[in-house]
Amino acid sequence: MEKAMEIIINGLSTGAIYALLALGFVLIFKSTGILNFAQGELCMVGAFFCYTFATLLGLPYVAAFLIAIILGGLLGAVIDFLFFRRLVGEPIFSTIMVTVGLASVITSGAGLIWGHDVYSITAPFTDKTFVLGGVVLGRGALYTIGISILLFIVFVLFFNRSLLGVSMRGTSEDPHTAGLMGINVKKIHMLAWAIGSAVAVVAGIFLADQSFVRLPMSHTGIKAMSAAILGGMDSIKGAIVGGAIIGLVEGFAANYLSGMVVGGFHFGDVKDVTAFSIMILVLMIKPHGIFGKEKVERV
Amino acid sequence: MLRITNLEVVYCDIILALKGISMEVPSGKIVALLGANGAGKTTAINAVSGIRKTIDLSIEDGSIEFENTAISDKEPHEIVSLGILQVPEARRIFADLTVEENLLIGSYSLQDRSKFRQASDMVYEYFPILKKRAGQYAGYLSGGEQQMLAIARALVAEPKLMVLDEPSLGLAPMIVAEIFQIIERINREQSTAMLVVEQNANVALSIAHYGYVLENGRVVMEGPTEALRENKDIREFYLGLTEIGTQKSFRQVKHYRRRKRWLS
Ligand SMILES: Nc1ncnc2c1ncn2[C@@H]1O[C@H](COP(=O)(O)OP(=O)(O)O)[C@@H](O)[C@H]1O
Ligand SMILES: [Mg+2]
């Protein structure tokens, strides 16, 4: 029981990171039609931003966190301006290849600037614990889950209540008509990239707390993509649920399945395999993902 | 208010869609732009709305002025901010958004956000049915309600000039009549100038003050509504009012029927 509790909390904190990344991924895809294969790289760069300000320059953690988010947003806007502004509406193959190229450019750039070592950020909650129902848990997990939930609420309110958020949804449905309403569609695309990158940075900083700051952090991108697809590529809700599911499944698989021996057959580290198997299974039953829907029929 | 002079536009650098048209919409008036399918009506109003890049349209010659300012090289959002709102062909409401959210987007260009409440109350006053449907997804509205929403979405921005592209398209005659009455009321009460693009000449001329007839990218006729209604060609080609009794051959009657169906 206590073990399950621990797995759930840790699984959810990993899931929250996937969900944040997936959210950015879905946001960029829905707004601009571009599948961003560099989402994991943005996450990795975000952790390096925070590392630079918190560890190298010695700024307070919260300040470093906020500066990193702002830099991440700017980076997203610049990426849109330099590459994707002129690629909107081009075939998806070309745009995907540009994001794949971008991913390796970001990785090499980060390698040049920060090197290929393993670093760490000291957060106020690093190595601190709290006790919940007799279980000792890392405080970082609690912060990750708490702040992610807060962010998700902010996003849901933003996209359902605010003029800008509703306009972003409208623009993703029909950019032509959005233009006729006076919306500057290019500005909306840039905003989607900025927000999508900023949440990736948040994910990267939380991920750094669970492991380290290093270039291979970017591999998380593929998990986030699975989370987004699992959720249906369609909504914030889908990204959040998809992220949570993958985080939890990984947690349980790592604890109960990895290293298991069945009839002389030895399971290795099956954590990743299980997560992807769940995704494949769900997609076989629901090809549009859990919340993915076919278009609302126009009468 | 809106003045188009010798406008010549091409698609994809080769297809000449408007061959030098001139027309004017005076402030506070309703002007009808009539013409059959493919005449160039939508092209003309897209040029006014600044929709060029996304449909590969370019202005080769002539000018478009709004309140004495040249607008032919402005972006769509800049044109909206000047007060020209388009109600696009086939309505194009945001199906995945609620009625209320559609109106919220419509108000995007309202600079003074405190006016939104008042503007949407005004809109709901013209279209009470939309108030009942406020929380529903727009995709589930009936055709007539969607057309109303498309008009309401433009109206909520308090435009000076509203450009409507075939508001009667695909709607039952009774609903068309209701919608055109509301358009006329909006014009009268809000003094919003209207440019109504229609294939259905009958209903458009029932509310317009002035009309233009477009054929193959050229204005072939223009005049005050009464004059157009009296014009023999208009009666025949656009109002379907040929004296059928005098037609003897079956072929001619059939031809008339075909034309009538095509026009109404
Ligand atoms: N995007 C486009 N590319 C090329 N030609 C077009 C395009 N849109 C319209 N046309 C052509 O321009 C002419 C006028 O079309 P349109 O303005 O849509 O007519 P209407 O609205 O009067 O039915 C037609 O011959 C049509 O084939
Ligand atoms: Mg048309």
Side-chain angles (χ1 to χ4, degrees), chain B:
Chain B
M1 178 177 236
L2 177 75
R3 180 178 288 121
I4 299 175
T5 319
N6 289 323
L7 185 68
E8 216 176 276
V9 311
V10 295
Y11 282 111
C12 318
D13 290 327
I14 50 163
I15 307 163
L16 187 58
L18 295 178
K19 305 162 183 170
I21 66 165
S22 297
M23 52 186 294
E24 203 179 331
V25 182
S27 53
K29 296 289 185 209
I30 303 179
V31 172
L33 177 59
L34 309 173
N37 215 351
K41 307 181 297 296
T42 300
T43 306
I45 63 171
N46 274 339
V48 170
S49 286
I51 313 284
R52 295 182 302 270
K53 279 177 217 128
T54 46
I55 54 175
D56 206 353
L57 178 143
S58 55
I59 295 178
E60 292 291 291
D61 202 7
S63 67
I64 309 172
E65 287 165 77
F66 186 67
E67 297 184 318
N68 301 316
T69 320
I71 59 167
S72 35
D73 50 8
K74 290 205 188 305
E75 295 291 318
H77 64 270
E78 296 172 323
I79 287 175
V80 171
S81 68
L82 293 175
I84 304 180
L85 266 287
Q86 192 191 123
V87 181
E89 192 170 8
R91 324 186 236 286
R92 296 186 80 152
I93 41 96
F94 298 103
D96 294 342
L97 304 187
T98 64
V99 167
E100 228 171 354
E101 290 172 335
N102 269 272
L103 292 183
L104 183 62
I105 294 198
S107 77
Y108 190 87
S109 61
L110 273 185
Q111 288 304 318
D112 180 1
R113 293 312 303 171
S114 64
K115 277 163 109 187
F116 175 61
R117 238 337 3 118
Q118 179 197 337
S120 58
D121 284 348
M122 180 260 291
V123 161
Y124 283 139
E125 217 253 299
Y126 286 106
F127 302 102
I129 186 78
L130 294 182
K131 187 158 195 170
K132 287 210 194 86
R133 305 257 187 272
Q136 286 182 18
Y137 285 110
Y140 295 130
L141 299 182
S142 74
E145 288 165 354
Q146 292 193 358
Q147 186 62 61
M148 290 181 186
L149 178 57
I151 297 172
R153 187 179 58 179
L155 183 62
V156 80
E158 304 189 330
K160 294 177 188 163
L161 169 66
M162 205 189 275
V163 182
L164 301 106
D165 198 348
E166 303 207 32
S168 79
L169 196 73
L171 300 180
M174 252 173 60
I175 298 181
V176 172
E178 187 187 342
I179 287 176
F180 273 74
Q181 268 169 23
I182 299 173
I183 295 174
E184 190 184 29
R185 237 186 89 205
I186 294 170
N187 165 259
R188 209 167 357 100
E189 296 173 0
Q190 310 292 327
S191 45
T192 312
M194 305 270 182
L195 175 57
V196 184
V197 166
E198 264 300 339
Q199 289 191 54
N200 185 337
N202 214 349
V203 70
L205 289 179
S206 73
I207 63 165
H209 302 109
Y210 199 88
Y212 294 84
V213 178
L214 202 60
E215 250 172 40
N216 274 319
R218 283 202 175 84
V219 173
V220 291
M221 211 181 301
E222 64 168 279
T225 314
E226 307 78 48
L228 288 179
R229 282 184 156 284
E230 292 310 311
N231 183 292
K232 182 170 155 294
D233 292 336
I234 297 266
R235 288 176 72 85
E236 188 176 335
F237 289 108
Y238 293 98
L239 300 175
L241 295 174
T242 333
E243 275 120 69
I244 208 169
T246 64
Q247 287 177 343
K248 285 174 192 87
S249 86
F250 177 68
R251 206 184 61 81
Q252 266 175 305
V253 176
K254 216 170 78 176
H255 177 65
Y256 159 74
R257 283 223 187 102
R258 189 165 60 224
R259 187 194 297 140
K260 188 176 173 205
R261 201 166 43 232
W262 174 62
L263 286 169
S264 61

Side-chain angles (χ1 to χ4, degrees), chain A residues 12-28 39-40 42-43 65 69 143-155 195-207 210 220-221 223-225 227-228 236 238-244:
Chain A
L12 282 180
S13 75
T14 316
I17 291 168
Y18 296 158
L20 284 170
L21 267 180
L23 192 153
F25 187 70
V26 168
L27 181 62
I28 291 172
Q39 197 71 11
L42 291 170
C43 156
F65 197 119
I69 293 175
Y143 275 97
T144 303
I145 296 172
I147 292 176
S148 302
I149 289 176
L150 205 71
L151 270 178
F152 296 143
I153 293 173
V154 168
F155 276 113
I195 298 177
S197 307
V199 284
V201 166
V202 176
I205 297 172
F206 284 143
L207 186 62
Q210 293 188 8
T220 321
K223 296 276 182 54
M225 222 176 272
I236 297 179
I240 296 169
V241 174

